[in-house]
Amino acid sequence: MAIQFYDKGELSSGFYGWRVAATIRGKRYQKYFSLRRSSDAVPETLWHRYQKTRAEYYDVRWSMRAAAVKYLDFIRTEHARTKPYRGVGFQGITLGIGTIGGGQTEQCYFQVNVPGNPVRIAITEHQSLSQAWGKALSLWGEAFQIRHKDIETRRQNPPAPEQFKQLRRHMNDEQNASLGVGVLHHVYAEQRAELERNKSRSRLKDQPVEKDELLDVHSRLEREISEYMERSGTRA
């Protein structure tokens, strides 16, 4: 955004007054507010103040629009320099596989790209993918002043484990890395646990119920009801 004043005689075109210009998503906007009055009926000082106020209004208006567009682009699009298979659909967080803090073992992690101080949050035995994602989002929101509702929207949609699988393959194939499949173990932990729960539910659902079991449950319920009624009658 820019607001500039041109004095009388400064430009060969004869214009004097304020020029406001802005570039938003590559589109150029500009307006001119001349101090040349169309009628002497308007006092010069009043016209001067009026045109200056209009110029300042458009400067603020376009500044606010540019800020809003920049914010929306930040939370909705990946940075142009994001490396392959590392993007998560918005700016400020990327995927990574490597060592953290001088460690010797490669880990899958989320990197919050805080300017000058990027932070890696690992997915481990004690911190699942969704937990690491939640921590990364909290730090992302604080570092980049993201609205709470935008953080929560993304909290419900963590990257799929397959994205780390694709990143591992890309790093091995294109960057001459030698990452073993074991580096993905903790990334898939929640998915494995959910599969086991589904299998258990399926086994319980398909398991036939014996007639003797039903009779035993029925008898136990009748006994418990009878005992409850007796206790209630005694208290009454």
Side-chain angles (χ1 to χ4, degrees), residues 78 84-90 93-97 108-110 123 129 133 157-171 184 187-188 191:
E78 296 175 3
Y85 301 99
R86 287 171 171 81
V88 296
F90 54 88
I93 298 180
T94 48
L95 305 183
I97 303 177
C108 293
Y109 59 82
F110 295 111
I123 301 165
L129 185 150
W133 178 244
N157 296 284
E162 284 71 21
Q163 289 183 244
F164 284 98
K165 180 180 179 180
Q166 293 171 355
L167 174 58
R168 170 185 168 270
R169 182 184 298 119
H170 172 76
M171 293 176 69
L184 302 173
V187 169
Y188 279 90
Q191 192 175 95

PDB file of all heavy atoms in Angstrom, residues 78 84-90 93-97 108-110 123 129 133 157-171 184 187-188 191:
ATOM      1  N   GLU A  78      -0.547 -23.785   0.218  1.00  0.00           N
ATOM      2  CA  GLU A  78       0.830 -24.074   0.612  1.00  0.00           C
ATOM      3  C   GLU A  78       1.779 -23.032   0.028  1.00  0.00           C
ATOM      4  O   GLU A  78       1.504 -22.441  -1.019  1.00  0.00           O
ATOM      5  CB  GLU A  78       1.221 -25.477   0.139  1.00  0.00           C
ATOM      6  CG  GLU A  78       0.411 -26.580   0.806  1.00  0.00           C
ATOM      7  CD  GLU A  78       0.717 -27.963   0.255  1.00  0.00           C
ATOM      8  OE1 GLU A  78       1.611 -28.057  -0.619  1.00  0.00           O
ATOM      9  OE2 GLU A  78       0.083 -28.935   0.688  1.00  0.00           O
ATOM     10  N   PRO A  84       8.317 -31.114  -2.273  1.00  0.00           N
ATOM     11  CA  PRO A  84       7.351 -32.179  -2.593  1.00  0.00           C
ATOM     12  C   PRO A  84       7.042 -33.076  -1.404  1.00  0.00           C
ATOM     13  O   PRO A  84       7.936 -33.442  -0.634  1.00  0.00           O
ATOM     14  CB  PRO A  84       8.059 -32.966  -3.709  1.00  0.00           C
ATOM     15  CG  PRO A  84       8.990 -31.976  -4.339  1.00  0.00           C
ATOM     16  CD  PRO A  84       9.460 -31.101  -3.210  1.00  0.00           C
ATOM     17  N   TYR A  85       5.756 -33.399  -1.259  1.00  0.00           N
ATOM     18  CA  TYR A  85       5.243 -34.342  -0.258  1.00  0.00           C
ATOM     19  C   TYR A  85       5.360 -33.833   1.184  1.00  0.00           C
ATOM     20  O   TYR A  85       5.110 -34.584   2.117  1.00  0.00           O
ATOM     21  CB  TYR A  85       5.937 -35.711  -0.378  1.00  0.00           C
ATOM     22  CG  TYR A  85       5.748 -36.343  -1.725  1.00  0.00           C
ATOM     23  CD1 TYR A  85       6.751 -36.253  -2.694  1.00  0.00           C
ATOM     24  CD2 TYR A  85       4.569 -37.006  -2.041  1.00  0.00           C
ATOM     25  CE1 TYR A  85       6.583 -36.818  -3.951  1.00  0.00           C
ATOM     26  CE2 TYR A  85       4.380 -37.570  -3.302  1.00  0.00           C
ATOM     27  CZ  TYR A  85       5.394 -37.471  -4.250  1.00  0.00           C
ATOM     28  OH  TYR A  85       5.208 -38.022  -5.499  1.00  0.00           O
ATOM     29  N   ARG A  86       5.709 -32.590   1.357  1.00  0.00           N
ATOM     30  CA  ARG A  86       5.840 -32.057   2.714  1.00  0.00           C
ATOM     31  C   ARG A  86       4.685 -31.132   3.107  1.00  0.00           C
ATOM     32  O   ARG A  86       4.542 -30.788   4.274  1.00  0.00           O
ATOM     33  CB  ARG A  86       7.165 -31.315   2.870  1.00  0.00           C
ATOM     34  CG  ARG A  86       8.370 -32.251   2.936  1.00  0.00           C
ATOM     35  CD  ARG A  86       9.675 -31.460   2.874  1.00  0.00           C
ATOM     36  NE  ARG A  86      10.831 -32.306   3.158  1.00  0.00           N
ATOM     37  CZ  ARG A  86      11.414 -33.111   2.288  1.00  0.00           C
ATOM     38  NH1 ARG A  86      10.921 -33.219   1.067  1.00  0.00           N
ATOM     39  NH2 ARG A  86      12.464 -33.840   2.622  1.00  0.00           N
ATOM     40  N   GLY A  87       3.890 -30.723   2.154  1.00  0.00           N
ATOM     41  CA  GLY A  87       2.820 -29.776   2.428  1.00  0.00           C
ATOM     42  C   GLY A  87       1.635 -30.403   3.146  1.00  0.00           C
ATOM     43  O   GLY A  87       1.352 -31.600   3.010  1.00  0.00           O
ATOM     44  N   VAL A  88       0.938 -29.576   3.926  1.00  0.00           N
ATOM     45  CA  VAL A  88      -0.244 -30.040   4.665  1.00  0.00           C
ATOM     46  C   VAL A  88      -1.502 -29.266   4.263  1.00  0.00           C
ATOM     47  O   VAL A  88      -2.532 -29.347   4.921  1.00  0.00           O
ATOM     48  CB  VAL A  88      -0.023 -29.914   6.186  1.00  0.00           C
ATOM     49  CG1 VAL A  88       1.098 -30.832   6.644  1.00  0.00           C
ATOM     50  CG2 VAL A  88       0.266 -28.463   6.593  1.00  0.00           C
ATOM     51  N   GLY A  89      -1.403 -28.487   3.176  1.00  0.00           N
ATOM     52  CA  GLY A  89      -2.573 -27.757   2.693  1.00  0.00           C
ATOM     53  C   GLY A  89      -2.611 -26.301   3.091  1.00  0.00           C
ATOM     54  O   GLY A  89      -3.475 -25.553   2.642  1.00  0.00           O
ATOM     55  N   PHE A  90      -1.687 -25.877   3.927  1.00  0.00           N
ATOM     56  CA  PHE A  90      -1.602 -24.465   4.307  1.00  0.00           C
ATOM     57  C   PHE A  90      -0.159 -24.161   4.690  1.00  0.00           C
ATOM     58  O   PHE A  90       0.699 -25.044   4.684  1.00  0.00           O
ATOM     59  CB  PHE A  90      -2.560 -24.138   5.458  1.00  0.00           C
ATOM     60  CG  PHE A  90      -2.393 -25.012   6.675  1.00  0.00           C
ATOM     61  CD1 PHE A  90      -1.495 -24.675   7.681  1.00  0.00           C
ATOM     62  CD2 PHE A  90      -3.136 -26.179   6.826  1.00  0.00           C
ATOM     63  CE1 PHE A  90      -1.335 -25.480   8.804  1.00  0.00           C
ATOM     64  CE2 PHE A  90      -2.989 -26.986   7.947  1.00  0.00           C
ATOM     65  CZ  PHE A  90      -2.084 -26.635   8.938  1.00  0.00           C
ATOM     66  N   ILE A  93       3.317 -25.060   8.506  1.00  0.00           N
ATOM     67  CA  ILE A  93       3.614 -26.410   9.005  1.00  0.00           C
ATOM     68  C   ILE A  93       3.962 -27.301   7.813  1.00  0.00           C
ATOM     69  O   ILE A  93       3.289 -27.241   6.779  1.00  0.00           O
ATOM     70  CB  ILE A  93       2.427 -27.022   9.765  1.00  0.00           C
ATOM     71  CG1 ILE A  93       2.085 -26.191  11.006  1.00  0.00           C
ATOM     72  CG2 ILE A  93       2.739 -28.461  10.191  1.00  0.00           C
ATOM     73  CD1 ILE A  93       0.918 -26.747  11.818  1.00  0.00           C
ATOM     74  N   THR A  94       4.991 -28.111   7.970  1.00  0.00           N
ATOM     75  CA  THR A  94       5.350 -29.078   6.940  1.00  0.00           C
ATOM     76  C   THR A  94       5.672 -30.419   7.591  1.00  0.00           C
ATOM     77  O   THR A  94       5.910 -30.504   8.795  1.00  0.00           O
ATOM     78  CB  THR A  94       6.570 -28.600   6.128  1.00  0.00           C
ATOM     79  OG1 THR A  94       7.603 -28.172   7.027  1.00  0.00           O
ATOM     80  CG2 THR A  94       6.200 -27.448   5.206  1.00  0.00           C
ATOM     81  N   LEU A  95       5.662 -31.472   6.781  1.00  0.00           N
ATOM     82  CA  LEU A  95       6.053 -32.800   7.243  1.00  0.00           C
ATOM     83  C   LEU A  95       7.564 -32.966   7.103  1.00  0.00           C
ATOM     84  O   LEU A  95       8.189 -32.320   6.260  1.00  0.00           O
ATOM     85  CB  LEU A  95       5.372 -33.886   6.396  1.00  0.00           C
ATOM     86  CG  LEU A  95       3.855 -33.875   6.253  1.00  0.00           C
ATOM     87  CD1 LEU A  95       3.419 -35.082   5.451  1.00  0.00           C
ATOM     88  CD2 LEU A  95       3.184 -33.856   7.594  1.00  0.00           C
ATOM     89  N   GLY A  96       8.113 -33.859   7.909  1.00  0.00           N
ATOM     90  CA  GLY A  96       9.531 -34.138   7.793  1.00  0.00           C
ATOM     91  C   GLY A  96       9.881 -35.504   8.344  1.00  0.00           C
ATOM     92  O   GLY A  96       9.143 -36.071   9.148  1.00  0.00           O
ATOM     93  N   ILE A  97      10.996 -36.034   7.896  1.00  0.00           N
ATOM     94  CA  ILE A  97      11.566 -37.272   8.441  1.00  0.00           C
ATOM     95  C   ILE A  97      13.052 -37.040   8.614  1.00  0.00           C
ATOM     96  O   ILE A  97      13.754 -36.672   7.672  1.00  0.00           O
ATOM     97  CB  ILE A  97      11.339 -38.481   7.506  1.00  0.00           C
ATOM     98  CG1 ILE A  97       9.848 -38.679   7.214  1.00  0.00           C
ATOM     99  CG2 ILE A  97      11.913 -39.750   8.134  1.00  0.00           C
ATOM    100  CD1 ILE A  97       9.560 -39.807   6.230  1.00  0.00           C
ATOM    101  N   CYS A 108       9.599 -39.421  12.204  1.00  0.00           N
ATOM    102  CA  CYS A 108       8.628 -38.624  11.458  1.00  0.00           C
ATOM    103  C   CYS A 108       8.186 -37.479  12.363  1.00  0.00           C
ATOM    104  O   CYS A 108       7.979 -37.675  13.563  1.00  0.00           O
ATOM    105  CB  CYS A 108       7.420 -39.470  11.063  1.00  0.00           C
ATOM    106  SG  CYS A 108       7.803 -40.775   9.864  1.00  0.00           S
ATOM    107  N   TYR A 109       8.031 -36.304  11.793  1.00  0.00           N
ATOM    108  CA  TYR A 109       7.688 -35.152  12.625  1.00  0.00           C
ATOM    109  C   TYR A 109       6.918 -34.100  11.824  1.00  0.00           C
ATOM    110  O   TYR A 109       6.890 -34.116  10.589  1.00  0.00           O
ATOM    111  CB  TYR A 109       8.954 -34.516  13.216  1.00  0.00           C
ATOM    112  CG  TYR A 109       9.958 -34.043  12.185  1.00  0.00           C
ATOM    113  CD1 TYR A 109       9.828 -32.808  11.533  1.00  0.00           C
ATOM    114  CD2 TYR A 109      11.072 -34.828  11.854  1.00  0.00           C
ATOM    115  CE1 TYR A 109      10.745 -32.384  10.588  1.00  0.00           C
ATOM    116  CE2 TYR A 109      11.996 -34.415  10.917  1.00  0.00           C
ATOM    117  CZ  TYR A 109      11.833 -33.183  10.289  1.00  0.00           C
ATOM    118  OH  TYR A 109      12.743 -32.769   9.346  1.00  0.00           O
ATOM    119  N   PHE A 110       6.287 -33.202  12.584  1.00  0.00           N
ATOM    120  CA  PHE A 110       5.704 -31.998  12.014  1.00  0.00           C
ATOM    121  C   PHE A 110       6.641 -30.844  12.343  1.00  0.00           C
ATOM    122  O   PHE A 110       7.091 -30.721  13.484  1.00  0.00           O
ATOM    123  CB  PHE A 110       4.319 -31.715  12.596  1.00  0.00           C
ATOM    124  CG  PHE A 110       3.298 -32.759  12.266  1.00  0.00           C
ATOM    125  CD1 PHE A 110       2.791 -33.594  13.255  1.00  0.00           C
ATOM    126  CD2 PHE A 110       2.840 -32.910  10.971  1.00  0.00           C
ATOM    127  CE1 PHE A 110       1.849 -34.565  12.954  1.00  0.00           C
ATOM    128  CE2 PHE A 110       1.910 -33.874  10.660  1.00  0.00           C
ATOM    129  CZ  PHE A 110       1.415 -34.711  11.647  1.00  0.00           C
ATOM    130  N   ILE A 123       6.571 -37.686  16.156  1.00  0.00           N
ATOM    131  CA  ILE A 123       5.548 -38.708  16.386  1.00  0.00           C
ATOM    132  C   ILE A 123       6.280 -39.907  16.977  1.00  0.00           C
ATOM    133  O   ILE A 123       7.147 -40.494  16.338  1.00  0.00           O
ATOM    134  CB  ILE A 123       4.852 -39.086  15.067  1.00  0.00           C
ATOM    135  CG1 ILE A 123       4.214 -37.842  14.451  1.00  0.00           C
ATOM    136  CG2 ILE A 123       3.814 -40.175  15.292  1.00  0.00           C
ATOM    137  CD1 ILE A 123       3.825 -38.006  13.004  1.00  0.00           C
ATOM    138  N   LEU A 129       0.314 -39.590  16.237  1.00  0.00           N
ATOM    139  CA  LEU A 129       0.245 -38.643  15.130  1.00  0.00           C
ATOM    140  C   LEU A 129      -0.733 -37.515  15.440  1.00  0.00           C
ATOM    141  O   LEU A 129      -0.418 -36.339  15.255  1.00  0.00           O
ATOM    142  CB  LEU A 129      -0.167 -39.374  13.846  1.00  0.00           C
ATOM    143  CG  LEU A 129      -0.176 -38.550  12.546  1.00  0.00           C
ATOM    144  CD1 LEU A 129       0.136 -39.443  11.356  1.00  0.00           C
ATOM    145  CD2 LEU A 129      -1.520 -37.863  12.316  1.00  0.00           C
ATOM    146  N   TRP A 133       0.143 -33.621  15.991  1.00  0.00           N
ATOM    147  CA  TRP A 133      -0.546 -32.655  15.127  1.00  0.00           C
ATOM    148  C   TRP A 133      -1.214 -31.559  15.965  1.00  0.00           C
ATOM    149  O   TRP A 133      -1.133 -30.375  15.641  1.00  0.00           O
ATOM    150  CB  TRP A 133      -1.570 -33.384  14.280  1.00  0.00           C
ATOM    151  CG  TRP A 133      -2.400 -32.539  13.368  1.00  0.00           C
ATOM    152  CD1 TRP A 133      -3.751 -32.345  13.418  1.00  0.00           C
ATOM    153  CD2 TRP A 133      -1.943 -31.806  12.223  1.00  0.00           C
ATOM    154  NE1 TRP A 133      -4.154 -31.531  12.393  1.00  0.00           N
ATOM    155  CE2 TRP A 133      -3.066 -31.190  11.643  1.00  0.00           C
ATOM    156  CE3 TRP A 133      -0.693 -31.612  11.643  1.00  0.00           C
ATOM    157  CZ2 TRP A 133      -2.972 -30.384  10.504  1.00  0.00           C
ATOM    158  CZ3 TRP A 133      -0.599 -30.800  10.509  1.00  0.00           C
ATOM    159  CH2 TRP A 133      -1.728 -30.204   9.961  1.00  0.00           C
ATOM    160  N   ASN A 157      -8.630 -32.645  11.114  1.00  0.00           N
ATOM    161  CA  ASN A 157      -8.196 -33.290   9.864  1.00  0.00           C
ATOM    162  C   ASN A 157      -6.672 -33.407   9.796  1.00  0.00           C
ATOM    163  O   ASN A 157      -6.020 -32.734   8.989  1.00  0.00           O
ATOM    164  CB  ASN A 157      -8.705 -32.471   8.669  1.00  0.00           C
ATOM    165  CG  ASN A 157     -10.217 -32.446   8.599  1.00  0.00           C
ATOM    166  OD1 ASN A 157     -10.855 -33.407   8.196  1.00  0.00           O
ATOM    167  ND2 ASN A 157     -10.805 -31.319   9.000  1.00  0.00           N
ATOM    168  N   PRO A 158      -6.089 -34.259  10.624  1.00  0.00           N
ATOM    169  CA  PRO A 158      -4.628 -34.433  10.578  1.00  0.00           C
ATOM    170  C   PRO A 158      -4.207 -35.110   9.280  1.00  0.00           C
ATOM    171  O   PRO A 158      -5.000 -35.827   8.649  1.00  0.00           O
ATOM    172  CB  PRO A 158      -4.353 -35.330  11.787  1.00  0.00           C
ATOM    173  CG  PRO A 158      -5.626 -36.083  11.998  1.00  0.00           C
ATOM    174  CD  PRO A 158      -6.730 -35.123  11.638  1.00  0.00           C
ATOM    175  N   PRO A 159      -2.982 -34.901   8.850  1.00  0.00           N
ATOM    176  CA  PRO A 159      -2.490 -35.584   7.650  1.00  0.00           C
ATOM    177  C   PRO A 159      -2.575 -37.099   7.829  1.00  0.00           C
ATOM    178  O   PRO A 159      -2.388 -37.627   8.923  1.00  0.00           O
ATOM    179  CB  PRO A 159      -1.034 -35.116   7.560  1.00  0.00           C
ATOM    180  CG  PRO A 159      -1.021 -33.798   8.274  1.00  0.00           C
ATOM    181  CD  PRO A 159      -1.992 -33.960   9.401  1.00  0.00           C
ATOM    182  N   ALA A 160      -2.861 -37.798   6.754  1.00  0.00           N
ATOM    183  CA  ALA A 160      -2.947 -39.255   6.804  1.00  0.00           C
ATOM    184  C   ALA A 160      -1.560 -39.868   6.906  1.00  0.00           C
ATOM    185  O   ALA A 160      -0.581 -39.304   6.408  1.00  0.00           O
ATOM    186  CB  ALA A 160      -3.646 -39.774   5.543  1.00  0.00           C
ATOM    187  N   PRO A 161      -1.437 -41.029   7.564  1.00  0.00           N
ATOM    188  CA  PRO A 161      -0.131 -41.701   7.650  1.00  0.00           C
ATOM    189  C   PRO A 161       0.502 -41.937   6.281  1.00  0.00           C
ATOM    190  O   PRO A 161       1.729 -41.931   6.146  1.00  0.00           O
ATOM    191  CB  PRO A 161      -0.475 -43.021   8.337  1.00  0.00           C
ATOM    192  CG  PRO A 161      -1.704 -42.727   9.134  1.00  0.00           C
ATOM    193  CD  PRO A 161      -2.483 -41.755   8.307  1.00  0.00           C
ATOM    194  N   GLU A 162      -0.354 -42.125   5.268  1.00  0.00           N
ATOM    195  CA  GLU A 162       0.154 -42.381   3.922  1.00  0.00           C
ATOM    196  C   GLU A 162       1.016 -41.231   3.392  1.00  0.00           C
ATOM    197  O   GLU A 162       1.869 -41.432   2.533  1.00  0.00           O
ATOM    198  CB  GLU A 162      -1.008 -42.645   2.959  1.00  0.00           C
ATOM    199  CG  GLU A 162      -1.641 -44.021   3.098  1.00  0.00           C
ATOM    200  CD  GLU A 162      -2.453 -44.172   4.392  1.00  0.00           C
ATOM    201  OE1 GLU A 162      -2.855 -43.128   4.975  1.00  0.00           O
ATOM    202  OE2 GLU A 162      -2.675 -45.320   4.824  1.00  0.00           O
ATOM    203  N   GLN A 163       0.780 -40.010   3.906  1.00  0.00           N
ATOM    204  CA  GLN A 163       1.589 -38.886   3.450  1.00  0.00           C
ATOM    205  C   GLN A 163       3.047 -39.045   3.873  1.00  0.00           C
ATOM    206  O   GLN A 163       3.965 -38.701   3.128  1.00  0.00           O
ATOM    207  CB  GLN A 163       1.014 -37.573   3.985  1.00  0.00           C
ATOM    208  CG  GLN A 163      -0.303 -37.191   3.330  1.00  0.00           C
ATOM    209  CD  GLN A 163      -0.822 -35.856   3.812  1.00  0.00           C
ATOM    210  OE1 GLN A 163      -1.877 -35.760   4.433  1.00  0.00           O
ATOM    211  NE2 GLN A 163      -0.092 -34.804   3.522  1.00  0.00           N
ATOM    212  N   PHE A 164       3.259 -39.583   5.068  1.00  0.00           N
ATOM    213  CA  PHE A 164       4.632 -39.857   5.502  1.00  0.00           C
ATOM    214  C   PHE A 164       5.228 -41.014   4.703  1.00  0.00           C
ATOM    215  O   PHE A 164       6.430 -41.035   4.421  1.00  0.00           O
ATOM    216  CB  PHE A 164       4.656 -40.179   7.000  1.00  0.00           C
ATOM    217  CG  PHE A 164       4.518 -38.974   7.884  1.00  0.00           C
ATOM    218  CD1 PHE A 164       3.296 -38.640   8.428  1.00  0.00           C
ATOM    219  CD2 PHE A 164       5.610 -38.161   8.150  1.00  0.00           C
ATOM    220  CE1 PHE A 164       3.166 -37.526   9.244  1.00  0.00           C
ATOM    221  CE2 PHE A 164       5.491 -37.042   8.967  1.00  0.00           C
ATOM    222  CZ  PHE A 164       4.259 -36.720   9.517  1.00  0.00           C
ATOM    223  N   LYS A 165       4.382 -41.967   4.362  1.00  0.00           N
ATOM    224  CA  LYS A 165       4.847 -43.087   3.537  1.00  0.00           C
ATOM    225  C   LYS A 165       5.325 -42.584   2.179  1.00  0.00           C
ATOM    226  O   LYS A 165       6.388 -42.992   1.680  1.00  0.00           O
ATOM    227  CB  LYS A 165       3.707 -44.097   3.364  1.00  0.00           C
ATOM    228  CG  LYS A 165       4.060 -45.314   2.530  1.00  0.00           C
ATOM    229  CD  LYS A 165       2.868 -46.249   2.426  1.00  0.00           C
ATOM    230  CE  LYS A 165       3.191 -47.477   1.581  1.00  0.00           C
ATOM    231  NZ  LYS A 165       2.017 -48.391   1.480  1.00  0.00           N
ATOM    232  N   GLN A 166       4.553 -41.670   1.579  1.00  0.00           N
ATOM    233  CA  GLN A 166       4.941 -41.103   0.290  1.00  0.00           C
ATOM    234  C   GLN A 166       6.205 -40.260   0.410  1.00  0.00           C
ATOM    235  O   GLN A 166       7.065 -40.271  -0.480  1.00  0.00           O
ATOM    236  CB  GLN A 166       3.787 -40.262  -0.262  1.00  0.00           C
ATOM    237  CG  GLN A 166       2.565 -41.069  -0.643  1.00  0.00           C
ATOM    238  CD  GLN A 166       1.368 -40.198  -0.970  1.00  0.00           C
ATOM    239  OE1 GLN A 166       1.412 -38.977  -0.818  1.00  0.00           O
ATOM    240  NE2 GLN A 166       0.286 -40.810  -1.423  1.00  0.00           N
ATOM    241  N   LEU A 167       6.321 -39.526   1.527  1.00  0.00           N
ATOM    242  CA  LEU A 167       7.511 -38.710   1.734  1.00  0.00           C
ATOM    243  C   LEU A 167       8.746 -39.592   1.873  1.00  0.00           C
ATOM    244  O   LEU A 167       9.808 -39.290   1.307  1.00  0.00           O
ATOM    245  CB  LEU A 167       7.340 -37.840   2.982  1.00  0.00           C
ATOM    246  CG  LEU A 167       8.573 -37.019   3.408  1.00  0.00           C
ATOM    247  CD1 LEU A 167       9.021 -36.094   2.292  1.00  0.00           C
ATOM    248  CD2 LEU A 167       8.265 -36.226   4.672  1.00  0.00           C
ATOM    249  N   ARG A 168       8.628 -40.689   2.626  1.00  0.00           N
ATOM    250  CA  ARG A 168       9.752 -41.619   2.783  1.00  0.00           C
ATOM    251  C   ARG A 168      10.188 -42.157   1.424  1.00  0.00           C
ATOM    252  O   ARG A 168      11.395 -42.184   1.116  1.00  0.00           O
ATOM    253  CB  ARG A 168       9.359 -42.768   3.700  1.00  0.00           C
ATOM    254  CG  ARG A 168      10.384 -43.910   3.731  1.00  0.00           C
ATOM    255  CD  ARG A 168       9.903 -45.093   4.553  1.00  0.00           C
ATOM    256  NE  ARG A 168      10.755 -46.238   4.334  1.00  0.00           N
ATOM    257  CZ  ARG A 168      10.556 -47.161   3.384  1.00  0.00           C
ATOM    258  NH1 ARG A 168       9.516 -47.061   2.554  1.00  0.00           N
ATOM    259  NH2 ARG A 168      11.384 -48.176   3.238  1.00  0.00           N
ATOM    260  N   ARG A 169       9.223 -42.570   0.611  1.00  0.00           N
ATOM    261  CA  ARG A 169       9.558 -43.114  -0.714  1.00  0.00           C
ATOM    262  C   ARG A 169      10.256 -42.058  -1.576  1.00  0.00           C
ATOM    263  O   ARG A 169      11.247 -42.335  -2.256  1.00  0.00           O
ATOM    264  CB  ARG A 169       8.287 -43.594  -1.408  1.00  0.00           C
ATOM    265  CG  ARG A 169       8.556 -44.221  -2.782  1.00  0.00           C
ATOM    266  CD  ARG A 169       7.281 -44.602  -3.500  1.00  0.00           C
ATOM    267  NE  ARG A 169       6.540 -45.600  -2.750  1.00  0.00           N
ATOM    268  CZ  ARG A 169       5.297 -45.413  -2.274  1.00  0.00           C
ATOM    269  NH1 ARG A 169       4.681 -44.260  -2.472  1.00  0.00           N
ATOM    270  NH2 ARG A 169       4.686 -46.375  -1.619  1.00  0.00           N
ATOM    271  N   HIS A 170       9.725 -40.829  -1.514  1.00  0.00           N
ATOM    272  CA  HIS A 170      10.319 -39.746  -2.303  1.00  0.00           C
ATOM    273  C   HIS A 170      11.752 -39.461  -1.851  1.00  0.00           C
ATOM    274  O   HIS A 170      12.652 -39.282  -2.695  1.00  0.00           O
ATOM    275  CB  HIS A 170       9.465 -38.481  -2.148  1.00  0.00           C
ATOM    276  CG  HIS A 170      10.085 -37.258  -2.754  1.00  0.00           C
ATOM    277  ND1 HIS A 170      10.103 -37.025  -4.114  1.00  0.00           N
ATOM    278  CD2 HIS A 170      10.735 -36.194  -2.174  1.00  0.00           C
ATOM    279  CE1 HIS A 170      10.724 -35.877  -4.350  1.00  0.00           C
ATOM    280  NE2 HIS A 170      11.114 -35.361  -3.197  1.00  0.00           N
ATOM    281  N   MET A 171      11.967 -39.410  -0.546  1.00  0.00           N
ATOM    282  CA  MET A 171      13.312 -39.124  -0.038  1.00  0.00           C
ATOM    283  C   MET A 171      14.292 -40.223  -0.411  1.00  0.00           C
ATOM    284  O   MET A 171      15.457 -39.954  -0.741  1.00  0.00           O
ATOM    285  CB  MET A 171      13.256 -38.937   1.484  1.00  0.00           C
ATOM    286  CG  MET A 171      12.494 -37.694   1.925  1.00  0.00           C
ATOM    287  SD  MET A 171      12.336 -37.541   3.737  1.00  0.00           S
ATOM    288  CE  MET A 171      14.049 -37.209   4.206  1.00  0.00           C
ATOM    289  N   LEU A 184       8.250 -45.483   9.946  1.00  0.00           N
ATOM    290  CA  LEU A 184       6.818 -45.184   9.885  1.00  0.00           C
ATOM    291  C   LEU A 184       6.027 -45.871  10.990  1.00  0.00           C
ATOM    292  O   LEU A 184       4.809 -45.697  11.078  1.00  0.00           O
ATOM    293  CB  LEU A 184       6.252 -45.626   8.531  1.00  0.00           C
ATOM    294  CG  LEU A 184       6.895 -45.013   7.281  1.00  0.00           C
ATOM    295  CD1 LEU A 184       6.328 -45.684   6.031  1.00  0.00           C
ATOM    296  CD2 LEU A 184       6.665 -43.509   7.235  1.00  0.00           C
ATOM    297  N   VAL A 187       3.856 -43.725  13.220  1.00  0.00           N
ATOM    298  CA  VAL A 187       2.888 -42.968  12.421  1.00  0.00           C
ATOM    299  C   VAL A 187       1.603 -43.774  12.217  1.00  0.00           C
ATOM    300  O   VAL A 187       0.500 -43.221  12.203  1.00  0.00           O
ATOM    301  CB  VAL A 187       3.508 -42.589  11.055  1.00  0.00           C
ATOM    302  CG1 VAL A 187       2.448 -42.050  10.103  1.00  0.00           C
ATOM    303  CG2 VAL A 187       4.605 -41.554  11.251  1.00  0.00           C
ATOM    304  N   TYR A 188       1.754 -45.087  12.089  1.00  0.00           N
ATOM    305  CA  TYR A 188       0.600 -45.955  11.824  1.00  0.00           C
ATOM    306  C   TYR A 188      -0.003 -46.546  13.100  1.00  0.00           C
ATOM    307  O   TYR A 188      -0.929 -47.352  13.016  1.00  0.00           O
ATOM    308  CB  TYR A 188       1.007 -47.090  10.886  1.00  0.00           C
ATOM    309  CG  TYR A 188       1.049 -46.689   9.432  1.00  0.00           C
ATOM    310  CD1 TYR A 188       2.220 -46.195   8.863  1.00  0.00           C
ATOM    311  CD2 TYR A 188      -0.082 -46.800   8.627  1.00  0.00           C
ATOM    312  CE1 TYR A 188       2.265 -45.819   7.526  1.00  0.00           C
ATOM    313  CE2 TYR A 188      -0.050 -46.438   7.294  1.00  0.00           C
ATOM    314  CZ  TYR A 188       1.124 -45.945   6.743  1.00  0.00           C
ATOM    315  OH  TYR A 188       1.157 -45.574   5.429  1.00  0.00           O
ATOM    316  N   GLN A 191      -3.773 -46.038  13.533  1.00  0.00           N
ATOM    317  CA  GLN A 191      -4.506 -46.784  12.511  1.00  0.00           C
ATOM    318  C   GLN A 191      -4.542 -48.268  12.847  1.00  0.00           C
ATOM    319  O   GLN A 191      -5.590 -48.922  12.695  1.00  0.00           O
ATOM    320  CB  GLN A 191      -3.852 -46.559  11.145  1.00  0.00           C
ATOM    321  CG  GLN A 191      -4.696 -47.039   9.978  1.00  0.00           C
ATOM    322  CD  GLN A 191      -4.062 -46.696   8.655  1.00  0.00           C
ATOM    323  OE1 GLN A 191      -3.346 -47.519   8.067  1.00  0.00           O
ATOM    324  NE2 GLN A 191      -4.312 -45.488   8.165  1.00  0.00           N
TER     325      GLN A 191
END
